[in-house]
Amino acid sequence: MKSPSNLQVAPAGRFPLAPAIQLVIAALVLCWSGFFTMDFLLSGVYTWPRASQTIALSLAGAILSYEFVYKEERARAQSAPGLIPIKSVVYFCFIPYLFGSFALLALLKVG
């Protein structure tokens, strides 16, 4: 199997720009997803349009996490042993999702 020749190698100690942008976008999208999922759960208005929106948002977050975070980190882990791809999913996907959920709870408590 050929290795891709278009992979960018960053200088030692530097993080490549494209994965950094992907991780920032993933964190922001999942924070937003967590906020609106918690809004749906706490609202008590369980209509089909809102439920389908929440399901689609959750599936989009899961696909984003797998395609743009887990796969990228798995590819980097092959070239740099010692990296664990699931840690990146926790740090850049799961924690922002929880942060978005807790942000809504904090707003409810303040208001």
Side-chain angles (χ1 to χ4, degrees):
M1 205 172 180
K2 288 185 177 179
S3 65
S5 61
N6 61 352
L7 288 177
Q8 295 178 356
V9 178
R14 297 212 41 207
F15 198 67
L17 184 60
I21 292 172
Q22 289 174 346
L23 294 176
V24 168
I25 290 173
L28 291 175
V29 168
L30 285 158
C31 184
W32 180 70
S33 177
F35 184 87
F36 284 105
T37 301
M38 185 60 74
D39 177 47
F40 170 74
L41 293 174
L42 294 178
S43 70
V45 181
Y46 304 121
T47 61
W48 174 245
R50 289 195 73 202
S52 63
Q53 178 186 16
T54 303
I55 291 168
L57 194 57
S58 298
L59 286 175
I63 291 168
L64 176 87
S65 298
Y66 178 73
E67 289 292 329
F68 293 110
V69 177
Y70 181 74
K71 276 188 168 180
E72 287 290 325
E73 292 301 314
R74 191 177 63 188
R76 287 184 58 213
Q78 289 175 353
S79 64
L83 292 176
I84 301 172
I86 198 71
K87 277 181 145 178
S88 296
V89 173
V90 169
Y91 292 138
F92 296 110
C93 299
F94 187 69
I95 291 175
Y97 188 87
L98 289 177
F99 180 76
S101 298
F102 291 138
L104 178 70
L105 293 174
L107 286 175
L108 286 175
K109 191 150 200 137
V110 170

